[in-house]
Amino acid sequence: AQKVTQAQTEISVVEKEDVTLDCVYETRDTTYYLFWYKQPPSGELVFLIRRNSFDEQNEISGRYSWNFQKSTSSFNFTITASQVVDSAVYFCALSETNRDDKIIFGKGTRLHILP
Amino acid sequence: SQTIHQWPATLVQPVGSPLSLECTVEGTSNPNLYWYRQAAGRGLQLLFYSVGIGQISSEVPQNLSASRPQDRQFILSSKKLLLSDSGFYLCAWSGQSGRMDTQYFGPGTRLTVL
């Protein structure tokens, strides 16, 4: 069965600290994509990253980095030197072949960055 | 570039009243379109998706319906709203079918049913 688990419901850190958001997925497909989205208080989901199952290279974009490990079925997201503007709900998601392009979302992690 | 619009941004409706939410996409053709609902403090629930004009797939049986009268227009409707229909409704689009393309979301409509 396809599943995305974000075990951390809510996290609070002080500004400038690093924080890692965990994501564990389950799939039987060998070809799949993983995503992270950010939902700020305004509500709109903002696309952050898309990785395919054949590319396990870690990715860094500014203060954001992603660690994809197929061996543990994890796709964790780290924010370095967090800022108040990073406060949001973050969703991890999975898309598989033959799923009509549907994305399976985790339940999200609410991140509070305290000034 | 592609943009996605939703309206209205907020809506307060009495129980039993009808509903019509609209979503339009610009800058792309033949997109896949999706309607999601997010209840307060909860995750995303896929309601409907469409791979083409007049083609609608329903994910969850309920008193809502969807239509796609034009290539880049997706409408969510109800004949009689329930209290449980309150939530944040998000429309999304993605590229051609079969590519597991990224879904891009609109700004959402916050619906309160009283």
Side-chain angles (χ1 to χ4, degrees):
Chain A
Q2 311 81 16
K3 191 177 177 181
V4 176
T5 302
Q6 295 180 254
Q8 304 150 307
T9 304
E10 202 159 343
I11 301 175
S12 294
V13 300
V14 176
E15 196 174 18
K16 298 184 183 177
E17 288 184 352
D18 299 346
V19 58
T20 295
L21 308 182
D22 298 333
C23 173
V24 174
Y25 62 92
E26 295 178 27
T27 178
R28 293 179 182 174
D29 274 12
T30 55
T31 302
Y32 53 89
Y33 283 84
L34 295 165
F35 305 82
W36 276 95
Y37 287 85
K38 173 182 180 180
Q39 187 177 37
S42 61
E44 180 176 354
L45 260 75
V46 178
F47 165 70
L48 296 178
I49 188 171
R50 172 179 181 244
R51 299 302 299 277
N52 76 56
S53 51
F54 298 107
D55 182 2
E56 286 193 72
Q57 283 192 347
N58 291 334
E59 183 155 342
I60 298 175
S61 176
R63 297 184 296 106
Y64 294 172
S65 62
W66 291 269
N67 184 332
F68 176 28
Q69 294 197 346
K70 287 179 76 170
S71 60
T72 56
S73 296
S74 65
F75 186 43
N76 296 338
F77 173 30
T78 297
I79 301 175
T80 304
S82 61
Q83 299 177 2
V84 172
V85 293
D86 296 326
S87 296
V89 180
Y90 290 86
F91 291 94
C92 180
L94 165 72
S95 179
E96 303 170 305
T97 53
N98 302 318
R99 289 277 298 172
D100 297 316
D101 301 301
K102 287 183 282 189
I103 291 181
I104 302 160
F105 284 88
K107 294 187 182 302
T109 297
R110 185 175 296 277
L111 177 63
H112 301 278
I113 308 299
L114 308 172
Chain B
S1 64
Q2 301 88 1
T3 55
I4 179 169
H5 305 280
Q6 284 186 249
W7 63 90
T10 60
L11 192 59
V12 180
Q13 291 285 93
V15 169
S17 64
L19 173 74
S20 181
L21 303 181
E22 190 164 343
C23 169
T24 59
V25 181
E26 295 177 357
T28 186
S29 59
N30 196 31
N32 287 351
L33 296 172
Y34 309 82
W35 277 112
Y36 290 85
R37 176 170 61 199
Q38 186 178 31
R42 301 184 66 180
L44 293 159
Q45 179 186 34
L46 178 63
L47 301 175
F48 301 94
Y49 69 95
S50 171
V51 299
I53 296 174
Q55 300 179 63
I56 309 294
S57 296
S58 174
E59 288 294 296
V60 183
Q62 57 210 324
N63 69 320
L64 299 172
S65 63
S67 62
R68 185 170 176 174
Q70 300 180 44
D71 181 43
R72 289 167 288 178
Q73 184 185 30
F74 205 22
I75 297 172
L76 183 69
S77 304
S78 173
K79 292 182 180 178
K80 288 186 178 182
L81 284 169
L82 306 173
L83 285 174
S84 58
D85 291 324
S86 292
F88 190 54
Y89 288 82
L90 287 156
C91 180
W93 74 273
S94 69
Q96 293 178 354
S97 295
R99 289 171 44 185
M100 294 179 287
D101 205 0
T102 301
Q103 288 184 19
Y104 297 95
F105 287 79
T109 294
R110 201 165 297 279
L111 172 66
T112 303
V113 182
L114 302 175

